[in-house]
Amino acid sequence: MDPVVWFFALGLAAGLAKSDLRMPPAIYDLLSMVLLLTIGLKGGVELARAPLAGLIPQVIAVLAMGFVLPFLLFPAARLFGRVSRADAASLAAHYGSVSVATFAVGVAFLVDRNVAYDSQLPLFLVLLEVPAIVVGILLARRVAAAQRWGKLLHEIFLGKSIVLLVGGLLIGWLAGPDGISSLEPFFFDLFKGVLALFLLEMGLIAATQAKALRDNGVFLVLFGVLVPLPMATIGALVGWMIGLSPGGTTLLAVLAGSASYIAAPAAIRVAVPEANPTLSLTASLGVTFPFNIFFGIPAYFKIAGLLHGGGG
Amino acid sequence: MDPVVWFFALGLAAGLAKSDLRMPPAIYDLLSMVLLLTIGLKGGVELARAPLAGLIPQVIAVLAMGFVLPFLLFPAARLFGRVSRADAASLAAHYGSVSVATFAVGVAFLVDRNVAYDSQLPLFLVLLEVPAIVVGILLARRVAAAQRWGKLLHEIFLGKSIVLLVGGLLIGWLAGPDGISSLEPFFFDLFKGVLALFLLEMGLIAATQAKALRDNGVFLVLFGVLVPLPMATIGALVGWMIGLSPGGTTLLAVLAGSASYIAAPAAIRVAVPEANPTLSLTASLGVTFPFNIFFGIPAYFKIAGLLHGGGG
Amino acid sequence: MDPVVWFFALGLAAGLAKSDLRMPPAIYDLLSMVLLLTIGLKGGVELARAPLAGLIPQVIAVLAMGFVLPFLLFPAARLFGRVSRADAASLAAHYGSVSVATFAVGVAFLVDRNVAYDSQLPLFLVLLEVPAIVVGILLARRVAAAQRWGKLLHEIFLGKSIVLLVGGLLIGWLAGPDGISSLEPFFFDLFKGVLALFLLEMGLIAATQAKALRDNGVFLVLFGVLVPLPMATIGALVGWMIGLSPGGTTLLAVLAGSASYIAAPAAIRVAVPEANPTLSLTASLGVTFPFNIFFGIPAYFKIAGLLHGGGG
Amino acid sequence: MPDDSRKLVTIVTEAALEHEVCGELEDLGAAGYTVSNARGKGSRGVRDAGWSSSSNVRIEVICGDDVANRIEQHLRRKYYDHYAMIIFESDVRVFRPDKFF
Amino acid sequence: MPDDSRKLVTIVTEAALEHEVCGELEDLGAAGYTVSNARGKGSRGVRDAGWSSSSNVRIEVICGDDVANRIEQHLRRKYYDHYAMIIFESDVRVFRPDKFF
Amino acid sequence: MPDDSRKLVTIVTEAALEHEVCGELEDLGAAGYTVSNARGKGSRGVRDAGWSSSSNVRIEVICGDDVANRIEQHLRRKYYDHYAMIIFESDVRVFRPDKFF
Ligand SMILES: Nc1ncnc2c1ncn2[C@@H]1O[C@H](COP(=O)(O)O)[C@@H](O)[C@H]1O
Ligand SMILES: Nc1ncnc2c1ncn2[C@@H]1O[C@H](COP(=O)(O)O)[C@@H](O)[C@H]1O
Ligand SMILES: Nc1ncnc2c1ncn2[C@@H]1O[C@H](COP(=O)(O)O)[C@@H](O)[C@H]1O
Ligand code: NA
Ligand code: NA
Ligand code: NA
């Protein structure tokens, strides 16, 4: 087990035991900014190193997956959990979108095992963040409130995470491997340490979801544990079909299997106010996130290995 | 002189000169979190490297020291300073407990001189934090208010510093030297820099104690300067008797000679409200802390050297 | 182009597009503290390495330049911009003083090109910060309000930036190259990364000046773009005359051509309240800062090269 | 002096709404507003500053009776059903009354 | 309309007491509370936010007269002697009165 | 009980003035004050906490009528023309009245 995930466990334990350990919001913001920039820069540098010919079809396939996934998730939540239309749409948006922290743990997992991954994965991370949110909003309100779409899309596309990811990608791509070398000590060498602190805070936050988990009972746990695997399998299949390496396939599976807990909650809160924000956040942060970093990622790595004809 | 202690001097000078230099509380929290985790991780990795057979008797000896020291400090404060029972108990709790920042400066001192220290020292740091606080509270109220002990012990044991130290120890121990290597750039390589910034803030805080120092006159200075040496000598003797190396003996002396300014003030404030919080904090932070980092640590290193038959 | 300046562009673009990206004030404080300490430490270490004989005449020349520049700037602003006496004095103070961030980008520029610079430059940075502010205040009020000078000078000299720069210089000088080595991973290796994040925030702040820029029209842009070059040329000439290396000459030109946006605004706000703070800040931060990091620094490097008989 | 008395309307709500609500306050005629970060507990549970999207802001507006009423009507209609929000109002005396409508 | 008037009780005290005091507020019948960070100066000297254990919090509770009285009695008895604390009370008008006891 | 009523004077102004204003409050007879960080918008435009020199502080003083008047006179005369500042006053009831002049 990668030691960074123990930091999540430490935060979770401290939170559940009602320790007074707390991370100031400013530090959370700093850590998440650095993580987003690091992922973007890393991807940009790689893109600069080996510019990609066949990128367009891959982009189309990934975007298509981003639009299709919520249509599978919505009826699942409706039938399976008997939640309201708004809540089902919210869950579809959260689970169709992606989690940057899970992606970062996935990257750390591959780096530890010296498994390379395709340079366009951070780009796919960006591409997958938005479509599910848009579909989720449509599912909730049937295109109503059209007057607010402009504002909403502005908020989603210019949200912090996309700006930093895309900005990092561009800067990494413009600067290239040489240009970026003086930034490496900060952004690349510290990556695991920054991720460790970030996961500590994620554990503390996840612990605050415990009460909601108790209240909303079995549904959330089941949804949060059962949904990732099929989603990730779809992601792995798409990755394999568009010709990603085993590492890249793993990461696309991680993206598909992960649930957003930053961009989606913020957008859905504004666009679908009647959805209960605790429901989706608890499932995403309190169940699926820990499930993925402890069990999901190794499993998706296995699946990718099987698809690529190895033993994982 | 290690350059990190000059950062303390810089902060102190800036504070006394009423500079507008200030460190945001969030940064103080970040720095102290990283220091605590680093000390814990370092200890855990070392424990994993050379698992210890004779740890149990050492633990017992250190715990015993932790319970005995406040019984020496309490009458000293009563007789010597003629302070109230509550204040004497508070001083006993502060000086019987330990200071993580002083320990960190001690570690930096040894590292600079290439002196190794036993891997269980961070564990002893944890062990010594609590007993004196408990004894101090007992000395103040004679077991009264028994109904609040549960809550109090919860607060002490699940306080931020113990959670992070123990968490770091466990993670370091679980991960071992190899697992931790990707965390080294963040937690180990930056250690001195983080400590430098932390000491800068400690200097700024110590400067705010100056007024209290002027008001409470000679007693605080004398207490803060005269108490550490005998305490540290006891610590060095215990370290020598339980078979620590010269480096480990030095650090146990540092622990015994240092005074808590985080865990003890918080706990005593709640449990012994009639104690004047300024008194103990000023002695601990405004007098003993600078005394130790400038003069104490080199002296304790000498004492450990003498005990181990060298010239220091 | 050095990738760090792209971070400024990213912040500017995000701010202008009204992204919700924001850096917490605590992080801004941390980054600027680290930058100031780094610049000071670097200079101090260099001073320790090669103690300077002829420093006194150089110091006098640089101080003289600091006192003279605002006397050139004040009439320029009066005639050229037809602004009030107070506003012209404020502009003279801002542009006569210096910008630490611009200096840091200049240092990064030279490091990238393996161009050495004289070790006393950080000292000159300190020396140039204050005189123009004092002259600016005098120009605004003709020595009135003499009773407040004591307080004012205290505020300027004990402002955060001077304390940290001078403190860093002293610590670096006391510790020397060997003593400082354990601080290098934090303060030196991370320098570019810290600068990148800082510039990201600078871009976000500069974007908030856009409205003021539109309102105050052409004057601010012209002033902010046209003033740096002649100022920097004077700086380069002084540097060349006092015998600085090409790198040092470049940095003295950068200092002369840069405009303060921390020390000067704070001091002028208190001492010359009738000056419009938006005017000077917008010119300094919204126009001159980006002009310098994108175009000014390379140009000043060329000028220094020409003076030193090379082709730049 | 009746003409220096105004209403102080205080709104405690989700941090995510700060931008939107402040824009609306201006549209409704407020001459200004003051915002600070807060945390708290209410009918919608604990809202703690640990994580910005789950914390609160505390918005204060000084204004005349009319604007106060308009603000309260608007916020109540638009946000009360689905968002954590409280509004309360008190009487204050201002200096330089011309600054506040 | 007398039924929409409530008391706003504001407590400024040591940050270390936040957790304890807020728990007690609920026990005493408050339907909610709002907390923000503060610094200040009073009879117990300067309390500055530079270091969390020496800074203040500012706690606001909106409640009826009874609860307000109970809160004030309790806090005064338990904390006034040994802790930095001030309490003050003012009259406010609330919207959605059913949310506040 | 008329003797437990005091004025609560609230000042919202530029963060750079905190130190100076708080010193003056004491000179003018205030027994204490409470400060918190704020941001906002007023006649002098947006003042946002993103950068400390452009953000606001919110200063509260509880005091008697006389001190309140003196504070308001002084601040108005010294700062109103050139600095972003608002002042407002309300009536509060305090506990332990001996703590406030
Ligand atoms: N009775 C109250 N007194 C003070 N603040 C309250 C009260 N009730 C709610 N709040 C604040 O208003 C926010 C939203 O309230 P609610 O919509 O009831 O969850 C809470 O998070 C608290 O910060
Ligand atoms: N007269 C006052 N006006 C406003 N705030 C005050 C006043 N007196 C005390 N405070 C606040 O209450 C805290 C505790 O007060 P004290 O118990 O008097 O030290 C202080 O740190 C201030 O933040
Ligand atoms: N009508 C208002 N209501 C609440 N706060 C205000 C109001 N007007 C101004 N302020 C606050 O006072 C600060 C200074 O106001 P001004 O001097 O008008 O720019 C602003 O930045 C706001 O934080
Ligand atoms: Na997903
Ligand atoms: Na001790
Ligand atoms: Na200049």
Side-chain angles (χ1 to χ4, degrees):
Chain A
M1 189 77 63
D2 191 323
V4 292
V5 306
W6 292 117
F7 283 83
F8 179 84
L10 175 59
L12 188 67
L16 292 176
K18 301 206 179 302
S19 160
D20 72 346
L21 179 62
R22 266 170 147 215
M23 198 173 278
I27 303 309
Y28 176 87
D29 286 358
L30 171 67
L31 297 172
S32 63
M33 283 180 70
V34 173
L35 280 186
L36 290 161
L37 282 171
T38 299
I39 291 173
L41 286 171
K42 234 173 191 157
V45 170
E46 294 305 322
L47 283 177
R49 214 189 291 266
L52 293 152
L55 197 56
I56 305 293
Q58 291 189 341
V59 163
I60 293 171
V62 168
L63 277 178
M65 179 176 91
F67 278 106
V68 168
L69 287 182
F71 285 105
L72 306 176
L73 288 157
F74 180 71
R78 281 291 263 175
L79 294 177
F80 184 49
R82 297 164 170 250
V83 296
S84 73
R85 180 175 189 92
D87 283 331
S90 167
L91 282 167
H94 281 70
Y95 278 79
S97 185
V98 294
S99 148
V100 175
T102 316
F103 182 79
V105 177
V107 167
F109 178 93
L110 294 181
V111 169
D112 269 10
R113 279 158 190 74
N114 283 313
V115 178
Y117 61 90
D118 313 76
S119 56
Q120 59 271 48
L121 260 298
L123 180 66
F124 295 169
L125 167 59
V126 174
L127 294 178
L128 285 173
E129 201 158 356
V130 178
I133 298 176
V134 173
V135 173
I137 295 171
L138 290 172
L139 287 169
R141 7 171 87 200
R142 317 173 189 193
V143 211
Q147 74 278 14
R148 301 181 73 204
W149 272 104
K151 213 179 114 213
L152 202 64
L153 287 178
H154 178 273
E155 255 173 44
I156 299 176
F157 278 110
L158 288 163
K160 175 174 131 166
S161 60
I162 292 200
V163 166
L164 290 174
L165 280 170
V166 171
L169 271 172
L170 280 175
I171 293 176
W173 182 72
L174 285 169
D178 293 342
I180 223 74
S181 65
S182 61
L183 294 173
E184 279 180 13
F186 188 87
F187 287 106
F188 295 177
D189 297 352
L190 303 187
F191 172 64
K192 285 289 277 283
V194 170
L195 182 59
L197 279 191
F198 187 79
L199 290 176
L200 182 67
E201 167 70 357
M202 296 287 300
L204 289 167
I205 297 174
T208 65
Q209 310 291 321
K211 201 178 154 294
L213 246 176
R214 272 198 302 275
D215 296 352
N216 286 281
V218 198
F219 166 59
L220 286 185
V221 176
L222 287 182
F223 191 90
V225 164
L226 293 182
V227 161
L229 197 66
M231 292 286 125
T233 308
I234 297 175
L237 281 168
V238 171
W240 176 71
M241 287 191 307
I242 63 179
L244 297 182
S245 68
T249 306
T250 306
L251 287 182
L252 195 60
V254 167
L255 287 174
S258 74
S260 167
Y261 58 89
I262 296 183
I268 295 294
R269 191 80 195 95
V270 174
V272 191
E274 63 275 26
N276 175 1
T278 315
L279 202 76
S280 302
L281 197 63
T282 302
S284 157
L285 199 57
V287 183
T288 299
F289 181 73
F291 172 79
N292 272 330
I293 66 171
F294 284 104
F295 309 106
I297 293 173
Y300 311 154
F301 181 59
K302 281 249 168 61
I303 295 174
L306 290 174
L307 283 174
H308 284 269
Chain B
M1 189 76 65
D2 191 322
V4 290
V5 306
W6 292 118
F7 283 84
F8 179 85
L10 174 59
L12 187 67
L16 292 176
K18 301 206 178 303
S19 158
D20 72 345
L21 179 62
R22 267 171 147 215
M23 197 173 278
I27 302 309
Y28 177 87
D29 286 357
L30 171 66
L31 297 172
S32 62
M33 283 180 70
V34 173
L35 280 187
L36 290 162
L37 282 172
T38 299
I39 292 173
L41 286 171
K42 236 175 190 152
V45 169
E46 295 305 322
L47 283 178
R49 216 190 289 269
L52 292 151
L55 197 57
I56 305 292
Q58 292 188 340
V59 163
I60 293 171
V62 168
L63 276 177
M65 180 177 90
F67 278 107
V68 168
L69 288 182
F71 285 106
L72 305 176
L73 289 158
F74 180 72
R78 282 288 265 176
L79 295 176
F80 185 50
R82 297 166 171 250
V83 296
S84 72
R85 180 176 190 91
D87 283 331
S90 166
L91 282 167
H94 282 70
Y95 279 78
S97 185
V98 295
S99 149
V100 176
T102 316
F103 182 80
V105 177
V107 167
F109 179 93
L110 294 181
V111 169
D112 269 11
R113 281 157 189 73
N114 284 313
V115 178
Y117 60 92
D118 313 74
S119 57
Q120 59 271 49
L121 261 299
L123 181 66
F124 295 170
L125 167 59
V126 174
L127 294 178
L128 284 172
E129 203 159 356
V130 177
I133 298 177
V134 173
V135 173
I137 295 171
L138 290 172
L139 286 169
R141 8 171 88 199
R142 318 174 187 192
V143 210
Q147 74 278 16
R148 302 180 74 203
W149 273 104
K151 213 180 116 213
L152 202 64
L153 288 178
H154 178 272
E155 256 174 43
I156 300 177
F157 277 110
L158 288 163
K160 175 174 130 167
S161 59
I162 292 200
V163 166
L164 290 174
L165 280 170
V166 172
L169 270 172
L170 281 176
I171 293 175
W173 183 72
L174 285 168
D178 292 344
I180 224 74
S181 65
S182 61
L183 294 172
E184 280 181 14
F186 188 87
F187 286 105
F188 295 176
D189 298 352
L190 302 186
F191 173 64
K192 285 289 276 286
V194 170
L195 183 58
L197 278 191
F198 187 80
L199 290 176
L200 182 67
E201 167 70 357
M202 295 287 301
L204 289 167
I205 296 174
T208 65
Q209 310 292 321
K211 202 178 152 295
L213 246 176
R214 272 198 302 276
D215 296 353
N216 287 281
V218 198
F219 166 60
L220 286 184
V221 176
L222 287 183
F223 191 89
V225 164
L226 293 183
V227 161
L229 197 67
M231 293 287 123
T233 309
I234 296 176
L237 281 168
V238 171
W240 177 70
M241 287 191 307
I242 62 179
L244 298 182
S245 68
T249 306
T250 305
L251 287 182
L252 195 60
V254 167
L255 288 175
S258 73
S260 166
Y261 58 88
I262 296 183
I268 296 294
R269 192 80 195 96
V270 173
V272 192
E274 63 275 27
N276 175 0
T278 316
L279 202 75
S280 302
L281 196 63
T282 304
S284 156
L285 199 58
V287 182
T288 299
F289 181 72
F291 172 80
N292 272 331
I293 65 171
F294 283 105
F295 309 107
I297 292 172
Y300 311 153
F301 181 58
K302 281 250 168 60
I303 294 173
L306 290 174
L307 282 174
H308 283 270
Chain C
M1 190 73 65
D2 190 323
V4 290
V5 306
W6 292 118
F7 283 83
F8 179 85
L10 175 59
L12 187 67
L16 291 176
K18 300 204 179 305
S19 159
D20 72 347
L21 180 60
R22 266 172 147 215
M23 198 173 279
I27 302 309
Y28 177 87
D29 286 356
L30 171 67
L31 297 172
S32 62
M33 283 180 69
V34 173
L35 280 186
L36 290 162
L37 283 172
T38 300
I39 291 172
L41 286 171
K42 236 174 190 155
V45 170
E46 294 305 323
L47 284 177
R49 215 189 292 265
L52 293 151
L55 195 58
I56 305 293
Q58 291 188 340
V59 163
I60 293 170
V62 168
L63 277 178
M65 180 177 91
F67 279 106
V68 168
L69 288 182
F71 285 105
L72 306 176
L73 288 157
F74 180 72
R78 281 291 262 175
L79 295 176
F80 185 49
R82 296 164 172 252
V83 296
S84 72
R85 180 174 189 93
D87 283 332
S90 166
L91 282 167
H94 281 70
Y95 279 79
S97 185
V98 294
S99 149
V100 175
T102 317
F103 183 80
V105 177
V107 167
F109 179 94
L110 294 181
V111 169
D112 269 11
R113 280 158 190 73
N114 284 312
V115 178
Y117 61 91
D118 313 75
S119 57
Q120 60 271 48
L121 260 300
L123 181 65
F124 296 170
L125 166 59
V126 175
L127 294 176
L128 285 172
E129 202 158 356
V130 177
I133 298 176
V134 173
V135 173
I137 296 171
L138 290 172
L139 286 170
R141 11 170 84 200
R142 318 173 186 192
V143 210
Q147 73 278 15
R148 303 181 71 203
W149 272 105
K151 213 179 114 213
L152 202 64
L153 287 179
H154 178 273
E155 255 174 43
I156 300 176
F157 278 109
L158 287 163
K160 175 173 131 166
S161 59
I162 292 200
V163 166
L164 289 174
L165 280 170
V166 172
L169 270 171
L170 281 176
I171 293 175
W173 183 72
L174 286 169
D178 293 343
I180 222 75
S181 65
S182 61
L183 294 172
E184 279 179 15
F186 188 88
F187 287 106
F188 294 176
D189 297 353
L190 303 187
F191 173 65
K192 286 289 277 284
V194 170
L195 183 59
L197 278 191
F198 187 80
L199 290 175
L200 182 67
E201 166 70 358
M202 295 288 300
L204 289 167
I205 296 174
T208 64
Q209 310 292 320
K211 202 178 152 294
L213 247 176
R214 272 199 301 277
D215 296 352
N216 287 280
V218 196
F219 165 60
L220 286 185
V221 176
L222 287 182
F223 191 89
V225 164
L226 294 182
V227 161
L229 197 66
M231 293 287 124
T233 308
I234 297 176
L237 281 167
V238 172
W240 175 70
M241 287 191 309
I242 63 178
L244 298 182
S245 68
T249 305
T250 306
L251 287 183
L252 195 61
V254 166
L255 288 174
S258 74
S260 167
Y261 58 87
I262 296 183
I268 296 294
R269 192 79 194 95
V270 173
V272 192
E274 62 275 26
N276 174 1
T278 315
L279 202 75
S280 302
L281 196 63
T282 303
S284 156
L285 198 58
V287 182
T288 299
F289 181 73
F291 172 79
N292 272 330
I293 65 172
F294 284 105
F295 309 107
I297 293 173
Y300 312 153
F301 181 60
K302 280 249 168 61
I303 295 174
L306 291 172
L307 282 173
H308 283 268
Chain D
M1 284 180 294
D3 74 333
D4 62 357
S5 71
R6 292 285 182 286
K7 295 292 180 204
L8 166 64
V9 179
T10 305
I11 306 150
V12 181
T13 190
E14 311 187 4
L17 297 181
E18 172 179 348
H19 193 70
E20 194 165 347
V21 168
C22 288
E24 291 165 355
L25 293 178
E26 291 188 84
D27 296 345
L28 293 163
Y33 51 81
T34 298
V35 185
S36 45
N37 296 327
R39 48 194 176 276
K41 185 163 180 178
S43 59
R44 288 181 181 260
V46 176
R47 301 191 56 79
D48 196 324
W51 197 35
S52 59
S53 75
S54 77
S55 75
N56 285 336
V57 286
R58 187 178 177 283
I59 308 176
E60 290 174 303
V61 190
I62 293 171
C63 54
D65 284 16
D66 281 2
V67 174
N69 274 337
R70 253 180 288 154
I71 290 174
E72 290 149 4
Q73 301 297 330
H74 171 78
L75 295 182
R76 189 167 11 177
R77 195 158 12 87
K78 180 156 175 203
Y79 297 105
Y80 253 43
D81 285 347
H82 295 302
Y83 295 96
M85 178 180 281
I86 62 167
I87 311 179
F88 55 91
E89 182 193 287
S90 63
D91 298 313
V92 296
R93 212 160 63 91
V94 298
F95 301 85
R96 211 163 54 161
D98 52 293
K99 286 187 79 169
F100 310 92
F101 301 130
Chain E
M1 285 182 292
D3 75 333
D4 63 357
S5 72
R6 291 286 183 285
K7 296 291 179 204
L8 166 63
V9 180
T10 306
I11 305 150
V12 181
T13 191
E14 311 187 4
L17 297 181
E18 172 178 349
H19 193 70
E20 194 165 345
V21 168
C22 289
E24 292 165 355
L25 293 177
E26 290 189 86
D27 294 346
L28 293 163
Y33 51 81
T34 297
V35 186
S36 44
N37 296 328
R39 48 194 177 277
K41 186 165 179 176
S43 58
R44 289 181 180 259
V46 175
R47 301 190 56 79
D48 196 325
W51 196 35
S52 60
S53 75
S54 78
S55 76
N56 286 335
V57 285
R58 187 180 178 283
I59 307 176
E60 291 175 303
V61 190
I62 293 171
C63 53
D65 285 15
D66 281 1
V67 174
N69 275 336
R70 251 180 288 155
I71 289 174
E72 290 150 4
Q73 300 297 330
H74 171 79
L75 295 182
R76 190 168 9 176
R77 194 157 13 86
K78 178 154 178 205
Y79 297 106
Y80 253 42
D81 285 346
H82 295 303
Y83 295 96
M85 177 181 281
I86 62 168
I87 311 179
F88 54 92
E89 181 191 286
S90 63
D91 298 313
V92 297
R93 212 159 63 90
V94 298
F95 301 85
R96 212 163 50 159
D98 52 294
K99 285 188 79 167
F100 311 92
F101 302 129
Chain F
M1 286 182 290
D3 75 333
D4 63 356
S5 72
R6 292 286 182 285
K7 296 291 178 204
L8 166 64
V9 180
T10 305
I11 306 150
V12 181
T13 190
E14 310 188 4
L17 297 181
E18 172 179 347
H19 193 69
E20 195 165 346
V21 168
C22 288
E24 292 165 354
L25 293 178
E26 290 189 86
D27 296 346
L28 293 163
Y33 51 79
T34 297
V35 185
S36 45
N37 296 327
R39 48 194 176 275
K41 186 164 181 176
S43 59
R44 288 181 181 261
V46 175
R47 301 190 56 78
D48 196 324
W51 196 36
S52 60
S53 76
S54 77
S55 76
N56 286 335
V57 286
R58 187 177 177 285
I59 308 177
E60 290 174 305
V61 191
I62 293 171
C63 53
D65 285 16
D66 281 2
V67 174
N69 275 337
R70 253 180 286 156
I71 289 174
E72 289 149 5
Q73 301 298 330
H74 170 79
L75 296 181
R76 188 166 14 175
R77 195 159 12 88
K78 179 156 177 202
Y79 297 106
Y80 253 44
D81 285 347
H82 296 304
Y83 295 95
M85 178 181 282
I86 62 167
I87 310 180
F88 54 92
E89 183 193 287
S90 63
D91 298 313
V92 296
R93 212 159 62 92
V94 298
F95 301 85
R96 210 161 54 158
D98 52 294
K99 286 187 78 168
F100 311 92
F101 302 129

